[in-house]
Amino acid sequence: MFGGGGVLALLALLVPAPSPPNLAAGQALFALTAATGLGVAALSIRRPGALRSERFDTLFMVLGNLCALTSALGEALHFGTTYSEHVALWPMVFAAGFLGRRLLWVQAVLTPPLLALTVYARSLIVGTGERWWIEALVLAVPVVVTGLIIGFFRAAAEDEAEELTQQVGTDPLTGLANRRALHAEFGRLAARVPPGHRVAVIMLDLDHFKQVNDRYGHRVGDEVLRCFAAVLRDHAQPHDLLVRVGGEEFVWVTAEAALDPVMARVEAARAAHAAHPDARAVTVSAGLVCHEASEPLSAGHLDDLLGRADAALYAAKAAGRNCLHLYGGPRPVLEPA
């Protein structure tokens, strides 16, 4: 939009004007429009991130309205015509399609007085009559309504996209994150770990789960999985990451200043699930690994941590299941008899 407006302003400077009301003033306004429009277009090419940053939204809204105003008045002064007043639709569409929702309403409120100013100034320049306010109103209503309609459909599309994103990254049976979302969510969790805290990755597996499906059917098996997911939520902290990676296998990512509280929460979750009536007496084996607090953590560490947690889980299974094993620890932590 800015680039197109800038090019049109440059072309207007090249078109001869037979009897301009004020040629110099019109050329100056067209030059200002061209410089602003092409300047913003050049910025978007050299630094595309600037257009995606909300810090510049208000500036772009102001510049868009400035271009609409200067182009309309420039035409009236340069040619004595009034076609450019319809360019007022561009800032409205720009706000509806690209800026934040708050600025869309600001633009909707700002458009009528700006159009009134433009039409009134043009009436003074070319003498189009005293009832300029009627023309301003006729121009403003469709411009504002068009922008609000675009904003409505944009908001609906964004809400639908957000819902689809959540569905893609969510396990439909348990409501936990799925394997697809694990890496992205782990990166966000790693970025907000408080200093001095250690990130722990726990791999959990429901013992002999296949026997539940074989004996009671998959519907009951699904109830057991949902039960365990609910138990994990009850024992997780608000910023923990809970993932069903497949079948009866789950991953729990958390952060603590010490290891003992993590192990205590895992043990409490295992005991709570085993005692739950919907668990069908299914026990849980777990493998736990901690990232050293002295080493910077990033999303790239996840695969290594998962591998170690998986190795600890297999050690717990080898020890007889129904226990927690710490990676590198001397022996599993067994469920009390």
Side-chain angles (χ1 to χ4, degrees):
M1 290 184 179
F2 281 101
V7 171
L8 288 175
L10 282 179
L11 292 176
L13 289 172
L14 301 177
V15 176
S19 54
N22 192 326
L23 181 62
Q27 288 178 335
L29 289 175
F30 274 137
L32 177 60
T33 304
T36 304
L38 295 177
V40 174
L43 175 65
S44 68
I45 294 173
R46 292 180 59 86
R47 296 188 177 181
L51 292 181
R52 293 192 292 268
S53 173
E54 295 183 358
R55 294 183 303 166
F56 299 99
D57 281 359
T58 302
L59 174 62
F60 289 139
M61 185 187 71
V62 171
L63 292 177
N65 285 286
L66 175 65
C67 287
L69 179 63
T70 55
S71 62
L73 295 180
E75 181 197 2
L77 291 166
H78 193 278
F79 298 107
T81 55
T82 60
Y83 303 110
S84 293
E85 288 172 358
H86 298 281
V87 176
L89 181 63
W90 288 18
M92 193 73 220
V93 171
F94 182 75
F98 300 100
L99 303 184
R101 297 183 187 183
R102 179 182 62 83
L103 289 181
L104 169 60
W105 291 105
V106 173
Q107 181 63 48
V109 173
L110 193 62
T111 294
L114 283 177
L115 268 174
L117 175 63
T118 303
V119 175
Y120 176 69
R122 182 258 293 166
S123 70
L124 297 179
I125 296 170
V126 299
T128 55
E130 297 180 356
R131 306 187 69 181
W132 57 268
W133 58 271
I134 297 179
E135 185 177 352
L137 182 64
V138 170
L139 283 171
V141 170
V143 167
V144 172
V145 171
T146 300
L148 293 179
I149 290 174
I150 294 173
F152 170 80
F153 284 108
R154 175 193 172 189
E158 289 177 344
D159 292 342
E160 184 177 353
E162 183 177 353
E163 182 178 351
L164 289 173
T165 300
Q166 292 177 349
Q167 291 177 355
V168 169
T170 303
D171 173 53
L173 178 62
T174 63
L176 303 181
N178 60 18
R179 183 185 291 272
R180 184 190 299 270
L182 176 56
H183 282 78
E185 294 298 326
F186 181 83
R188 283 192 279 270
L189 184 145
R192 58 173 181 258
V193 172
H197 279 52
R198 303 175 68 187
V199 170
V201 176
I202 306 104
M203 189 83 73
L204 307 110
D205 186 85
L206 301 183
D207 298 328
H208 304 296
F209 179 74
K210 186 177 183 299
Q211 295 178 8
V212 176
N213 286 330
D214 293 343
R215 182 177 179 182
Y216 301 105
H218 288 279
R219 183 182 64 82
V220 174
D222 290 348
E223 290 177 359
V224 174
L225 292 171
R226 283 193 288 266
C227 173
F228 184 57
V231 169
L232 287 179
R233 289 192 189 94
D234 289 341
H235 290 81
Q237 293 179 338
H239 297 299
D240 287 359
L241 174 58
L242 300 173
V243 184
R244 182 189 176 202
V245 293
E248 66 273 21
E249 198 166 65
F250 296 77
V251 169
W252 182 359
V253 185
T254 186
E256 289 278 5
L259 180 59
D260 288 344
V262 178
M263 298 179 67
R265 282 197 287 131
V266 175
E267 286 295 86
R270 291 197 320 105
H273 177 73
H276 199 288
D278 292 337
R280 302 285 175 165
V282 172
T283 58
V284 180
S285 297
L288 186 153
V289 63
C290 265
H291 181 76
E292 292 298 330
S294 59
E295 299 178 9
L297 181 66
S298 67
H301 290 90
L302 177 60
D303 289 336
D304 179 60
L305 292 171
L306 287 175
R308 297 182 185 185
D310 196 45
L313 174 62
Y314 274 97
K317 290 182 178 181
R321 292 184 169 85
N322 190 24
C323 61
L324 166 65
H325 185 72
L326 175 63
Y327 181 82
R331 56 186 174 83
V333 179
L334 300 177
E335 174 73 14

